[in-house]
Amino acid sequence: MINPIVVKNISVSYDGNQVVKDVSFSFESGKLIGVLGPNGAGKSTLMKAMLGLIHKDSGYVKIGTKSIDETRKNIAYVPQRSNIDWNFPIVVIDAVLIGTYPKLGLIRRPRKADKEWAMECLKKVGMEDFAKRQIGELSGGQQQRVFLARALAQRADYFFLDEPFVGIDVSSEEVIIDILRELKNDGKIVFVVHHDLSKVQSYFDDLILINKELIGAGPVHDVFQSGNMTKAYNREFMLDGLGVSM
């Protein structure tokens, strides 16, 4: 079993405006967690703050007794597609191979076994036939699969994905969610910034619901409630177990 992740009193400000305020929660191993909230709620900011990618006003993150910096090699991050330079001249297999670098050290170069592992990760996401293709030539769904393969190549225990289902095809979304469920079943902890409310109950075990402040964190059936959603989205929600109405 991997160590739990604990977030305590994280706050973040941009230009003097507080965009994440005093957020705390913790999760044990074997969790697929949706990070939910309206546009501008601070979902991506919270994820980046957890990873130490942006400055925090206050708060900390612990994995077991260690800091994020001490466990960084065991963390895989897939940013939003809009934040990636898809014109960078790199072929698919080399993009995935980058996922092996954190555990190679500063001097070692990828070995045959590392290259074989990168190809296995491509096969996992159904992209092995595109290994020599320039990454900029792929569709949105194919690109997202490749970046998930890169994350898998890290052999990490903690996965963070920022809006992985935006702008991709249905087939790619199914491939990705199936792999995330496998990671969860293997005891990993997976965080996914998400926006599609109709998929929340079928995709996630647990939720973090925020609108700058934490509205709720825990099992979906506890957090994904009409009162919490109304508070988070500032409009009335009716959740009937089959869908969402407003």
Side-chain angles (χ1 to χ4, degrees), residues 196-214:
D196 185 350
L197 300 183
S198 68
K199 304 287 183 64
V200 167
Q201 291 166 302
S202 60
Y203 278 11
F204 302 112
D205 307 298
D206 292 80
L207 283 182
I208 297 165
L209 179 61
I210 67 167
N211 189 348
K212 298 185 179 179
E213 298 180 87
L214 184 70

Side-chain angles (χ1 to χ4, degrees), residues 42-43 173 191:
K43 303 184 296 295
E173 183 164 340
F191 291 90

Side-chain angles (χ1 to χ4, degrees), residues 139-170:
S139 71
Q142 291 169 338
Q143 289 171 341
Q144 197 68 58
R145 291 197 210 188
V146 170
F147 268 70
L148 177 56
R150 186 183 72 168
L152 295 175
Q154 289 186 231
R155 302 181 193 265
D157 285 328
Y158 305 87
F159 290 80
F160 293 78
L161 297 91
D162 195 350
E163 296 276 16
F165 304 122
V166 170
I168 70 173
D169 57 280
V170 173

Side-chain angles (χ1 to χ4, degrees), residues 87-122:
N87 294 316
F88 188 81
I90 189 171
V91 297
V92 166
I93 187 62
D94 289 342
V96 177
L97 196 58
I98 290 172
T100 67
Y101 288 5
K103 294 183 179 177
L104 290 179
L106 295 175
I107 300 175
R108 287 181 51 200
R109 298 178 62 84
R111 302 162 300 176
K112 180 181 178 182
D114 298 312
K115 295 175 182 179
E116 290 174 348
W117 171 239
M119 184 58 75
E120 282 298 314
C121 293
L122 266 184

Side-chain angles (χ1 to χ4, degrees), residues 1 13 28 33 64 69 89 121 124 132 135 149 211 213 231:
M1 180 177 293
S13 296
E28 302 287 336
I33 305 148
D69 286 339
C121 293
K124 185 82 171 175
K132 297 300 182 182
I135 198 163
N211 189 348
E213 298 180 87
K231 184 176 180 181

Side-chain angles (χ1 to χ4, degrees), residues 196-199 201 224-230 233-246:
D196 185 350
L197 300 183
S198 68
K199 304 287 183 64
Q201 291 166 302
F224 198 60
Q225 298 286 340
S226 298
N228 288 336
M229 297 299 291
T230 297
Y233 285 80
N234 295 313
R235 58 178 185 259
E236 189 171 354
F237 276 78
M238 296 299 292
L239 306 179
D240 58 10
L242 300 175
V244 182
S245 59
M246 294 175 281

